[in-house]
Amino acid sequence: MTRPLLEVSHLFKSFGGRDGLFRAGRRARVVNDVGFTIGRGETFGLVGESGSGKSTIGRTILRLLEPDSGEILFDGQDIAGLSRGDLRRLRRRMQIVFQDPFSSLDPRVRVGEVLAEPIRLHGLREGAAIEARVDELLETVGLAPHHKTRWPHEFSGGQRQRIAIARALAVEPDLIVCDEAVSALDVSIQAQVLNLLARLRDDLGVSYLFISHDMSVVRHIADRVGVLYAGRLVETGPVGAVFDRPSHPYTRMLLAATPSLAGRSRAPAQDIAGAPPSPFDAVTGCAFASRCAFASDRCRTEEPPLDTFQAEDHRAACWHVAELPPLGPEAAQGDAAMSPAYRRRIDLLRRAQAGSPA
Ligand SMILES: Nc1ncnc2c1ncn2[C@@H]1O[C@H](COP(=O)(O)OP(=O)(O)OP(=O)(O)O)[C@@H](O)[C@H]1O
Ligand SMILES: [Mg+2]
């Protein structure tokens, strides 16, 4: 078996003290012992409520943030302790695409220059070859070479997101972290951009860490998924297994609370009763116990490891997996197990994708 492109293990990240915001001595423990891998050409989805630590994990992997501890191996190489030059080379191979296509592009820079700059910076092409590469990138993301003389404000949200993707691709990365990359877009445009990302994965072999609070989007694009709760992974596995046979009560809650079409941009947090523990408070036992209908004394005292449930690559951290109510025969039928609103949304995404030219 070939080695995964990204291997994250025992990752911890906290904020506090010198980071500003908080009274000295108080630390917010935001990422707690997180581990996962991403294979080459694989899309790993990271889901969870607002504040669960998704973006922090993404930024730590890119070393935009320093982890407290843990190991991040990229292509077998530990990214901690890299020299400045090595880090620069590594940065080229990992890119990020953010949520907001309106603020992620400098309004004073023409599109052609947005794409040419990273190519020049990393010395990937010279002279006329730079312009040819810019044309190629625009075509790759479904835009045209004549767009390069235009300014970012002349483009729609979906087009700007394509430009942001082209900019990420300009340096020929192996991994792209998509942090809510389609969350601000209309559903039909979302489908086009998701389609584009899937095509790039198939054509170029790019891997994605796909961060989203939207379960239906993750189901649509990801191969494997990790469910994050209060900075801890509570369930991971192939997307079909996790979504059709959710084994952690929190995953079940998230799926049951999947936003309706009208509330698409809303984080599921608002649909789920209770709140996660404060990152400032020490947690004993399972972090989800305070909101869980199945919690026992053991859950409140002893933290369940991620392999209390394990079926091949599907794992969950719950002491009571075996006693949870069965999902019913419809669970095996995939989408049928989901709420009508969820199913409508998946249908819409599929139809939009089938009809989209991208
Ligand atoms: N630089 C920082 N300094 C202090 N606290 C931070 C910092 N960045 C994030 N946090 C805190 O860490 C927690 C996790 O934030 P993060 O942005 O990773 O969540 P998220 O899962 O991406 O949420 P969302 O879905 O809203 O984007 C939050 O409680 C946040 O307030
Ligand atoms: Mg975020």
Side-chain angles (χ1 to χ4, degrees):
M1 236 177 73
T2 53
R3 178 158 208 169
L5 178 66
L6 183 78
E7 299 162 88
V8 177
S9 45
H10 304 297
L11 187 68
F12 287 82
K13 174 67 188 170
S14 62
F15 296 103
R18 282 181 297 131
D19 300 322
L21 291 175
F22 313 121
R23 264 186 292 131
R26 295 207 80 195
R27 291 200 77 79
R29 284 165 226 289
V30 168
V31 178
N32 297 284
D33 202 7
V34 165
F36 58 92
T37 62
I38 306 180
R40 283 161 214 277
E42 184 175 63
T43 301
F44 186 80
L46 199 53
V47 297
E49 287 163 281
S50 183
S52 55
K54 304 181 296 295
S55 297
T56 304
I57 291 174
R59 281 157 205 249
T60 308
I61 286 166
L62 295 170
R63 250 192 100 183
L64 301 172
L65 291 171
E66 284 295 320
D68 298 355
S69 60
E71 194 175 59
I72 302 166
L73 299 181
F74 183 81
D75 207 2
Q77 199 181 11
D78 192 343
I79 71 157
L82 287 181
S83 71
R84 207 178 262 261
D86 285 342
L87 189 60
R88 208 172 79 98
R89 276 185 284 280
L90 187 87
R91 284 261 161 78
R92 182 186 72 69
R93 300 182 60 192
M94 293 194 218
Q95 294 292 305
I96 187 161
V97 175
F98 293 106
Q99 167 167 5
D100 185 359
F102 292 93
S103 65
S104 67
L105 297 172
D106 185 338
R108 296 157 305 180
V109 180
R110 285 183 204 267
V111 167
E113 185 51 28
V114 167
L115 302 181
E117 196 207 294
I119 299 172
R120 232 180 276 123
L121 192 74
H122 288 280
L124 297 170
R125 300 280 195 289
E126 279 176 14
I130 295 178
E131 191 157 343
R133 175 68 177 147
V134 168
D135 293 355
E136 185 183 86
L137 284 165
L138 286 167
E139 280 168 354
T140 302
V141 298
L143 296 169
H146 71 261
H147 285 130
K148 66 188 166 201
T149 56
R150 301 240 220 118
W151 303 97
H153 74 260
E154 297 177 64
F155 294 88
S156 69
Q159 286 175 319
R160 287 193 209 204
Q161 207 56 319
R162 286 166 184 270
I163 295 165
I165 292 166
R167 179 177 55 188
L169 289 175
V171 295
E172 297 157 32
D174 299 305
L175 175 73
I176 302 181
V177 174
C178 296
D179 191 348
E180 305 282 2
V182 300
S183 303
L185 306 174
D186 287 343
V187 73
S188 63
I189 308 296
Q190 250 186 16
Q192 287 179 20
V193 174
L194 290 173
N195 217 15
L196 169 64
L197 292 172
R199 187 163 56 74
L200 296 172
R201 174 183 59 194
D202 297 343
D203 293 353
L204 308 173
V206 195
S207 307
Y208 299 109
L209 173 59
F210 194 90
I211 295 172
S212 179
H213 65 263
D214 188 329
M215 301 291 270
S216 47
V217 163
V218 169
R219 182 184 189 120
H220 194 72
I221 186 107
D223 302 304
R224 281 163 56 247
V225 63
V227 180
L228 201 64
Y229 184 75
R232 296 153 177 89
L233 275 182
V234 295
E235 184 158 0
T236 65
V239 87
V242 173
F243 282 60
D244 291 346
R245 297 182 297 284
S247 296
H248 196 284
Y250 177 62
T251 313
R252 292 184 176 199
M253 251 167 99
L254 267 186
L255 284 169
T258 290
S260 66
L261 284 174
R264 193 168 51 75
S265 58
R266 214 164 28 143
Q270 290 157 20
D271 302 319
I272 298 178
S278 160
F280 291 104
D281 297 336
V283 173
T284 29
C286 173
F288 188 59
S290 60
R291 286 168 97 181
C292 183
F294 308 101
S296 64
D297 286 345
R298 185 182 195 188
C299 303
R300 285 180 277 270
T301 51
E302 201 181 335
E303 187 174 357
L306 188 53
D307 54 6
T308 45
F309 166 82
Q310 185 156 20
E312 294 178 21
D313 190 28
H314 184 188
R315 293 183 296 155
C318 173
W319 291 124
H320 299 297
V321 170
E323 304 137 49
L324 296 181
L327 286 163
E330 73 279 9
Q333 293 161 29
D335 297 351
M338 307 305 162
S339 68
Y342 179 81
R343 219 174 312 140
R344 271 201 305 281
R345 181 149 159 63
I346 290 269
D347 284 348
L348 200 74
L349 270 173
R350 284 194 185 135
R351 259 183 287 133
Q353 186 176 44
S356 91

